[in-house]
């Protein structure tokens, strides 16, 4: 059987490899001149760094199995030392340091945060992507039309600053942009808010020595990947499927579409997708994430007893120590996400540089103002991605929208992969692999 896979990100390549191993004739079409999708690894200075997705967590079993199979080396995210909290926004935020996972707040705010985390953890366990396919339960009916802002808007300002920083980093969006049900199902898929927000023991625990794009590079070595092949149309008839780029038509028996929501929205299906699925697809937006990688001559923050981790309610939401595994190239990485990422993109380059450096100087001292190199990756400007880290659904999407493309009956001979289709660790590399497994089973079942 001949299968075309659209998209050479991790999910598309994992799908293609499984199908090829099952004996199918597989070709992968990729619009870019590289594999990896939302992972992007570059050599900068004396180290190898990720400008896209870069971490895996301890309970992401598929990812760890793939890493072992491919023989890739990993190392732990540096977390030793005190963390920095900047709250208050504006030109004079309040700076404090803390150890552990919970920021240093007033005792009343800490109590509120613990209560909030406990409530969210209880709610998210009652809301799952699988469960949202069926009739809403009582809790879900109450939350059906609400956005996350309906929750975050009720918390004290100091707690809200920490909450919003974590939220923006996970979604690349503002709380009012994401439906409450979708958020809770997303948290449940990732085993809770703390699991997704933390480094030690959480989704930011482990990095790749060769960079996360190395996963896709290794998978692509044994596959037929065609670069510069942006798919425009997928035509389905009784005799099969034709996948069309600007220049070439690829006839096949089955197709796996492994694209983020934004480029998927511009893809023409003939005949059109089922109305329910097409409506869900139109509801999707993409998060806005800009990563700024800053290299330095030495890891001065470590010398000062700091971990390199920053949480802020300003233009930089979070920062981490991004130094190379051998510390030959010290580095920090700053995340500008959500509405601040939109503002940053509109600034003149020198102004944008200063806007990022200012909170880092406040957090880590004057040495932060003098990086040897400053590399910015604005994912919203990537034409074949349209945003990062994940597709999201607004409060207007309601219950059926919360399932995105998983809603509705299967499309004959057309199957969807990509991390947005996952029900486990949606939005993460682990989710990309789980979605690939589901797509491959669907191909085999319909062959």
């Amino acid at each position: 059987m001949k299968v075309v896979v659209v998209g050479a990100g991790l999910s598309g390549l994992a799908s293609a490899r499984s199908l090829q191993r099952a004996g199918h004739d597989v070709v992968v079409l990729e619009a870019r001149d590289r594999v990896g999708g939302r992972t992007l690894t570059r050599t900068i200075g004396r180290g190898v760094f990720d400008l896209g997705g870069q971490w895996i967590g301890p309970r992401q079993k598929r990812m760890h199995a793939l890493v072992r199979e491919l023989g890739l080396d990993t190392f732990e995210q540096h977390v030793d030392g005190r963390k920095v909290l900047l709250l208050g926004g504006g030109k004079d935020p309040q700076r404090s340091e803390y150890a552990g996972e919970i920021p240093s707040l007033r005792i009343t705010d800490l109590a509120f945060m613990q209560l909030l985390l406990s409530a969210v953890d209880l709610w998210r366990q009652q809301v799952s992507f699988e469960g949202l396919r069926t009739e809403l339960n009582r809790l879900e009916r109450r939350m059906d039309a609400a956005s996350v802002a309906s929750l975050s808007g009720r918390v004290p300002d100091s707690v809200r600053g920490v909450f919003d920083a974590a939220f923006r980093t996970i979604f690349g969006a503002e709380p009012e942009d994401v439906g409450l049900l979708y958020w809770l199902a997303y948290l449940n898929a990732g085993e809770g808010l703390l699991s997704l927000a933390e480094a030690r023991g959480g989704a930011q625990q482990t990095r790749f020595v060769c960079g996360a794009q190395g996963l896709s590079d290794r998978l692509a070595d044994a596959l037929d990947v065609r670069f510069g092949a942006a798919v425009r149309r997928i035509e389905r008839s009784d005799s099969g499927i034709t996948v069309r780029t600007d220049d070439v038509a690829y006839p096949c028996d089955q197709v796996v579409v492994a694209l983020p929501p934004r480029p998927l929205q511009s893809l023409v299906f003939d005949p059109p997708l089922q109305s329910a699925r097409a409506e869900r697809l139109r509801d999707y937006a993409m998060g806005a994430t800009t990563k700024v990688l800053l290299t330095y001559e030495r890891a001065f923050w470590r010398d000062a007893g700091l971990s390199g981790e920053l949480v802020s309610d300003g233009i930089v939401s979070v920062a981490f120590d991004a130094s190379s595994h051998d510390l030959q190239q010290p580095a920090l990485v700053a995340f500008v996400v959500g509405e601040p990422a939109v503002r940053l993109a509109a600034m003149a380059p020198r102004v944008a540089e200063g806007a990022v450096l200012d909170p880092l100087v406040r957090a880590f001292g004057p040495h932060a103002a003098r990086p040897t190199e400053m590399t910015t990756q604005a994912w919203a400007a990537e034409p074949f991605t349209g945003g990062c880290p994940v597709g999201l659904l607004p409060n207007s999407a309601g219950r059926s929208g919360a399932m995105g493309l998983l809603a509705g009956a299967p499309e004959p001979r057309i199957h969807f992969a990509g991390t947005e289709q996952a029900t486990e660790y949606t939005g993460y590399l682990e989710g990309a692999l789980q979605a690939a497994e589901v797509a491959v089973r669907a191909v085999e079942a319909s062959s």
Side-chain angles (χ1 to χ4, degrees):
M1 181 171 66
K2 188 169 185 58
V3 182
V4 169
V5 175
V6 182
L10 181 60
S11 198
L13 294 172
S15 300
R17 185 177 74 150
S18 294
L19 291 167
Q20 182 172 280
R21 286 181 169 183
H24 302 298
D25 181 9
V26 183
V27 62
V28 181
L29 304 181
E30 170 55 48
R32 294 182 174 92
D33 60 358
R34 64 171 182 86
V35 298
R38 282 169 269 185
T39 60
L40 176 61
T41 302
R42 291 288 182 264
T43 299
I44 302 172
R46 301 183 299 275
V48 173
F49 298 99
D50 283 307
L51 300 177
Q54 69 180 81
W55 287 292
I56 58 175
R59 293 178 295 280
Q60 296 177 11
K61 58 183 184 297
R62 296 175 183 84
M63 279 300 303
H64 284 284
L66 181 60
V67 167
R68 289 192 299 271
E69 181 184 346
L70 297 178
L72 299 180
D73 294 325
T74 62
F75 65 108
E76 299 302 286
Q77 169 66 38
H78 178 77
V79 295
D80 295 335
R82 301 183 305 280
K83 303 173 185 177
V84 177
L85 180 67
L86 289 179
L87 290 181
K91 296 184 178 180
D92 192 26
Q94 294 183 336
R95 181 187 184 280
S96 61
E97 297 179 6
Y98 65 100
E101 306 302 332
I102 302 298
S104 178
L105 301 171
R106 294 177 303 179
I107 189 66
T108 53
D109 289 341
L110 279 174
F112 191 97
M113 178 174 282
Q114 292 286 6
L115 182 63
L116 175 64
L117 290 173
S118 296
V120 168
D121 201 53
L122 178 63
W123 293 336
R124 65 96 179 165
Q125 293 180 52
Q126 302 176 58
V127 182
S128 68
F129 284 126
E130 296 93 334
L132 288 174
R133 299 182 191 188
T134 61
E135 185 176 350
L136 293 176
N137 62 37
R138 182 181 301 177
L139 174 70
E140 293 162 354
R141 285 196 298 272
R142 286 167 43 204
M143 298 180 173
D144 189 22
S147 74
V148 179
S150 65
L151 173 65
S152 65
R154 300 179 183 180
V155 304
D157 288 344
S158 58
V159 176
R160 187 186 310 167
V162 175
F163 179 92
D164 286 353
F167 182 90
R168 285 172 178 157
T169 305
I170 293 171
F171 282 98
E174 301 300 311
E176 58 267 26
D177 298 329
V178 179
L180 186 55
L181 277 186
Y182 180 80
W183 178 64
L184 291 172
Y186 192 96
L187 295 185
N188 202 38
E191 302 184 81
L193 178 57
L194 288 180
S195 170
L196 297 183
E198 292 178 353
R200 179 177 283 136
Q204 285 72 237
Q205 178 168 291
T206 303
R207 293 170 57 192
F208 300 90
V209 170
C210 68
Q213 191 182 341
L215 289 160
S216 294
D217 291 334
R218 290 287 185 90
L219 292 176
D221 284 344
L223 297 170
D224 181 3
V225 181
R226 314 285 176 89
F227 294 108
V231 173
R232 308 300 185 187
R233 296 178 61 88
I234 297 178
E235 300 169 354
R236 183 174 53 200
S237 67
D238 292 340
S239 58
I241 292 181
T242 302
V243 179
R244 296 188 183 276
T245 67
D246 290 331
D247 305 313
V248 182
Y250 294 87
C252 60
D253 303 298
Q254 307 268 348
V255 62
V256 175
V257 183
L259 298 177
R262 187 61 55 81
L264 188 52
Q265 287 165 343
S266 64
L267 190 57
V268 176
F269 291 88
D270 182 17
L273 298 176
Q274 299 171 53
S275 59
R277 183 171 281 105
E279 289 171 9
R280 298 296 78 75
L281 178 57
R282 286 194 294 269
D283 286 332
Y284 265 106
M286 288 294 292
T289 293
T290 296
K291 287 184 73 172
V292 184
L293 193 286
L294 306 103
T295 56
Y296 295 93
E297 286 299 328
R298 63 185 180 88
F300 53 84
W301 56 93
R302 296 193 189 189
D303 298 339
L306 300 175
S307 68
E309 187 169 340
L310 165 67
V311 177
S312 170
D313 61 355
I315 194 161
V316 172
S317 289
V318 296
F320 294 91
D321 185 316
S323 302
S324 58
H325 72 285
D326 53 8
L327 203 55
Q328 290 300 302
Q329 182 58 75
L332 293 169
V333 62
F335 285 76
V336 183
V337 282
E339 188 273 334
V342 177
R343 283 192 282 123
L344 190 76
M347 296 177 186
R350 296 288 295 184
V351 176
E353 179 179 310
V356 173
L357 288 175
D358 179 70
L360 298 180
V361 170
R362 292 178 182 275
F364 306 120
H367 293 297
R370 298 186 292 275
T372 55
E373 197 164 348
M374 191 169 175
T375 304
T376 299
Q377 175 67 25
W379 282 94
E382 286 285 313
F384 299 115
T385 305
C388 216
V390 67
L392 49 92
L393 286 155
N395 57 320
S396 60
R399 178 191 71 84
S400 58
M403 282 310 301
L405 296 179
L406 295 172
E411 300 283 345
R413 299 194 298 278
I414 298 176
H415 316 280
F416 296 95
T419 191
E420 280 81 11
Q421 312 312 314
T423 57
E424 299 175 30
Y425 279 96
T426 314
Y428 292 79
L429 298 174
E430 176 77 4
L433 294 184
Q434 192 240 347
E437 290 177 357
V438 174
V440 168
R441 287 197 297 268
V443 170
E444 296 285 21
S446 60
S447 61

